Amino acid sequence: MNDWISVVVVFLLLWWWFFLMALPIGVRVVEEPEEGHAPSAPKRPHLWKKALGATIVALLATTLINYIIAADLFSFRDAIENW
């Protein structure tokens, strides 16, 4: 995966995937919400922590995927041809 566009696309897809998986972690709702606020709105969503965690995990996963493709440990072309 020497093409930088492919690396960026894989990273962005993984980042969103990990970020969306992290959103419900540690969410607490306000016991008595103010008028006009949704009762299910989180008290402190900690979005920066979740974005940072998603970035770190996505970087590691992108590096692993890049290594697997560069080392030719798995090839989709071979898998399709042998199917």
Side-chain angles (χ1 to χ4, degrees), residues 1 65 67-83:
M1 199 158 63
I65 290 171
Y67 171 74
I68 290 171
I69 293 172
D72 204 22
L73 297 176
F74 181 80
S75 173
F76 285 107
R77 288 185 181 98
D78 292 340
I80 290 172
E81 288 175 3
N82 294 331
W83 188 38

Side-chain angles (χ1 to χ4, degrees), residues 4-79:
W4 285 100
I5 295 173
S6 298
V7 173
V8 170
V9 168
V10 168
F11 172 77
L12 290 174
L13 289 171
L14 289 173
W15 187 90
W16 275 107
W17 188 42
F18 290 126
F19 180 69
L20 291 174
M21 285 193 311
L23 282 178
I25 296 173
V27 173
R28 307 239 190 281
V29 295
V30 180
E31 292 180 18
E32 294 186 24
E34 297 177 21
E35 186 174 332
H37 290 215
S40 61
K43 189 174 189 178
R44 288 190 201 165
H46 300 288
L47 292 179
W48 286 108
K49 290 180 183 178
K50 293 174 183 181
L52 179 63
T55 302
I56 293 168
V57 174
L59 279 172
L60 293 172
T62 303
T63 303
L64 178 66
I65 290 171
N66 190 20
Y67 171 74
I68 290 171
I69 293 172
D72 204 22
L73 297 176
F74 181 80
S75 173
F76 285 107
R77 288 185 181 98
D78 292 340

